């Protein structure tokens, strides 16, 4: 039966209603009377309008949860032409000592050249003859850059094409700049900014001593990367108890780099025992709204997807069959977060391949974690949340913006469609 | 009725595993969740 979608979010704008469908991301505006009719008789809509409402998911015929679940399953079963991807942890050691690091307590060992050569063997035996995609990760991946050199060099000898991205604190980018561009073929770097100046230096607590202004080093490196048209994704970590620091950081980035087309900036809610959960807040008072406000005013949110509102039937890389994470010891995992739990979460290793099928199946299980997911408006975007958090029964499985999605969309609408200063 | 942004159910359902979650996809909130 044709009905108003449960994945719609709506709010009033004067005499009109704005409706956003969270499955498709479509946005429409209707006069008040038509909005009322949309939830009732559908008498005020012509045939063409009804067809468009159906296509955009604002109206739906049938049971939506079953539909989403079925499409998710089909997407998982029909994986083809996907890229062979391998995340390589070059080291678990790091030149920074951030208090919030999820790898805290892990032994700070590094990958050996011998293991790196075996990674290449694993790739040679398992890739599909096309391009290999790398994520270089750690610890700080540049802290053991020799591993990247060995793997890239061996692949070149084998005529295997590759490209990569890197998650780095960027402190060592300058000394490896030529390799980043010309040898490792890095297309994108994710870099964290925890604050500005002294505050950043305090949180990062680099090993180089207090006389070095690490913040300036990072900013200069970001500038250099952008000048070479390398994609830079800046993650601005924030503690909800101190939103102002994150807002100032975003504004600093804007003043320094503006809206460079290769730059993306987003806010990330820190997690920790002493830090409140996003689920502790609701509606207008949600700290995330202040972050969105600043990002919108600086032009770093242009599209609804920049708010994190984008349906991904397979919401996580763990569901991709050609997606591997290799730890420093050669064990294979589905997720970087699993390595802190040790070999019990490994799906195999680079010597024997994927052999631990029960663990693989556990990570690739498609069921939703909670009964309430079936009724949740955010299901199309969230799809049950981060698999690592689900398996660890983390308190923050739900999307951080779940409790303020309407208010976030209102801000987005005001800025993007009405041009208002927020 | 004013359509401000239109994407269809078919478009979303036809996203492949690659396009729905790529390591280079800035909007992949899983990758974004790495607190490093």
């Amino acid at each position: 039966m044709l009905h108003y979608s449960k994945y719609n979010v709506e709010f009033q704008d004067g005499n009109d209603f704005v409706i956003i469908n969270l499955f498709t991301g479509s946005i429409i505006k209707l006069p008040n009377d038509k909005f009322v009719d949309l939830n009732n008789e559908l008498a005020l809509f012509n045939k063409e309008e009804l067809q468009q409402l159906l296509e955009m998911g604002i109206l739906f015929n049938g049971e939506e949860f079953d539909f989403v679940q079925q499409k998710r399953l089909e997407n998982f079963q029909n994986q083809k032409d996907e890229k062979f991807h391998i995340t390589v942890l070059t080291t678990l050691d790091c030149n920074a000592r951030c208090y919030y690091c999820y790898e805290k307590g892990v032994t700070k060992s590094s990958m050996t050249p011998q293991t790196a050569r075996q990674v290449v063997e694993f790739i040679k035996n398992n890739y599909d003859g096309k391009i290999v995609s790398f994520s270089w990760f750690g610890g700080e991946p540049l802290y053991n850059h020799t591993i990247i050199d060995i793997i890239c060099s061996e692949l070149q000898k084998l005529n295997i094409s590759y490209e990569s991205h890197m998650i780095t604190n960027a402190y060592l980018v300058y000394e490896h700049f030529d390799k980043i561009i010309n040898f490792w073929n890095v297309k994108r770097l994710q870099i964290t900014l925890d604050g500005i100046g002294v505050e950043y230096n305090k949180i990062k607590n680099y090993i180089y001593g207090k006389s070095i202004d690490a913040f300036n080093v990072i900013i200069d490196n970001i500038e250099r990367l952008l000048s070479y048209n390398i994609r830079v994704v800046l993650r601005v970590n924030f503690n909800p108890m101190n939103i102002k620091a994150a807002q100032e950081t975003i504004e600093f980035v804007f003043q320094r780099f503006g809206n460079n087309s290769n730059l993306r900036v987003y806010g990330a809610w820190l997690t920790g025992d002493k830090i409140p959960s996003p689920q502790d807040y609701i509606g207008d008072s949600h700290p995330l709204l202040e972050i969105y406000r600043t990002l919108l005013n600086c032009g770093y949110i242009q599209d609804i997807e920049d708010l994190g509102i984008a349906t991904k039937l397979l919401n996580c890389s763990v569901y991709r069959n050609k997606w591997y994470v290799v730890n420093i010891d050669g064990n294979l995992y589905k997720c970087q977060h699993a390595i802190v739990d040790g070999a019990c979460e490994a799906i195999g290793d680079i010597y024997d391949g994927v052999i631990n099928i029960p663990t693989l199946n556990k990570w690739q299980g498609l069921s939703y974690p909670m009964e309430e997911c079936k009724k949740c408006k955010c299901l199309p975007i969230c799809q049950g949340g981060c698999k690592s958090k689900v398996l660890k029964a983390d308190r923050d499985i739900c999307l951080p913006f779940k409790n303020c999605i309407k208010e976030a969309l209102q801000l987005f609408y005001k800025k993007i469609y009405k041009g208002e200063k927020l | 009725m004013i359509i401000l942004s239109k994407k269809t159910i078919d478009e979303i359902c036809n996203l492949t595993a690659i396009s729905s979650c790529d390591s280079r996809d800035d909007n992949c909130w899983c990758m974004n969740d790495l607190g490093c």
Side-chain angles (χ1 to χ4, degrees), chain A residues 351-375:
Chain A
Y351 305 94
D352 296 323
V354 178
I355 48 171
N356 192 344
I357 304 304
T359 302
L360 174 69
N361 290 341
K362 181 178 80 172
W363 280 89
Q364 291 197 313
L366 288 172
S367 62
Y368 298 117
M370 296 177 286
E371 193 60 25
E372 67 186 79
C373 296
K374 289 182 184 174
K375 293 178 187 165

Side-chain angles (χ1 to χ4, degrees), chain A residues 51-95:
Chain A
Q51 181 60 32
Q52 286 189 319
L53 289 166
L54 261 172
E55 285 173 6
M56 292 187 285
I58 289 165
L59 289 178
F60 197 83
N61 206 353
E63 174 41 61
E64 283 175 289
F65 172 75
D66 292 345
F67 177 80
V68 171
Q69 199 176 29
Q70 178 60 26
K71 290 297 169 188
R72 177 171 159 87
L73 178 63
E74 285 172 17
N75 210 285
F76 178 69
Q77 289 171 337
N78 299 330
Q79 293 187 46
K80 52 186 177 188
D81 301 330
E82 63 164 323
K83 217 171 268 183
F84 181 93
H85 178 95
I86 186 158
T87 297
V88 180
L89 280 75
T90 65
T91 178
L92 294 172
D93 203 357
C94 189
N95 51 356

Side-chain angles (χ1 to χ4, degrees), chain A residues 331-361:
Chain A
N331 275 333
L332 290 170
Y333 296 83
K334 287 307 287 183
C335 169
Q336 294 89 324
H337 287 267
I339 62 109
V340 296
D341 296 320
C344 62
E345 291 298 339
I347 56 167
D349 59 47
I350 50 176
Y351 305 94
D352 296 323
V354 178
I355 48 171
N356 192 344
I357 304 304
T359 302
L360 174 69
N361 290 341

Side-chain angles (χ1 to χ4, degrees), chain A residues 235-378:
Chain A
R235 170 192 168 110
V236 177
N237 280 340
F238 67 89
N239 182 329
M241 308 296 276
N242 187 12
I243 287 295
K244 203 162 179 289
Q247 288 177 295
E248 286 169 358
T249 306
I250 295 164
E251 281 159 2
F252 171 87
V253 170
F254 180 64
Q255 280 160 17
R256 182 73 186 250
F257 303 116
N259 288 121
N260 187 306
S261 60
N262 283 312
L263 176 66
R264 179 174 180 245
V265 185
Y266 71 99
W269 191 295
L270 281 172
T271 55
D273 294 341
K274 293 177 183 164
I275 301 172
S277 155
Q279 313 309 327
D280 293 340
Y281 301 90
I282 190 158
D284 285 328
S285 65
H286 205 296
L288 252 181
L289 297 174
E290 292 309 311
I291 299 292
Y292 288 151
R293 199 185 299 274
T294 308
L295 289 169
L296 279 159
N297 280 334
C298 292
Y300 293 129
I301 292 178
Q302 298 275 355
D303 193 276
I304 196 167
E305 294 193 2
D306 297 330
L307 278 173
I309 296 176
T311 287
K312 291 169 180 177
L313 292 162
L314 293 183
N315 57 317
C316 178
S317 306
V318 298
Y319 301 110
R320 289 174 57 177
N321 291 329
K322 293 181 197 165
W323 179 283
Y324 306 92
V325 175
V326 57
N327 197 6
I328 52 149
D329 55 5
N331 275 333
L332 290 170
Y333 296 83
K334 287 307 287 183
C335 169
Q336 294 89 324
H337 287 267
I339 62 109
V340 296
D341 296 320
C344 62
E345 291 298 339
I347 56 167
D349 59 47
I350 50 176
Y351 305 94
D352 296 323
V354 178
I355 48 171
N356 192 344
I357 304 304
T359 302
L360 174 69
N361 290 341
K362 181 178 80 172
W363 280 89
Q364 291 197 313
L366 288 172
S367 62
Y368 298 117
M370 296 177 286
E371 193 60 25
E372 67 186 79
C373 296
K374 289 182 184 174
K375 293 178 187 165
C376 183
K377 257 188 201 317
C378 293

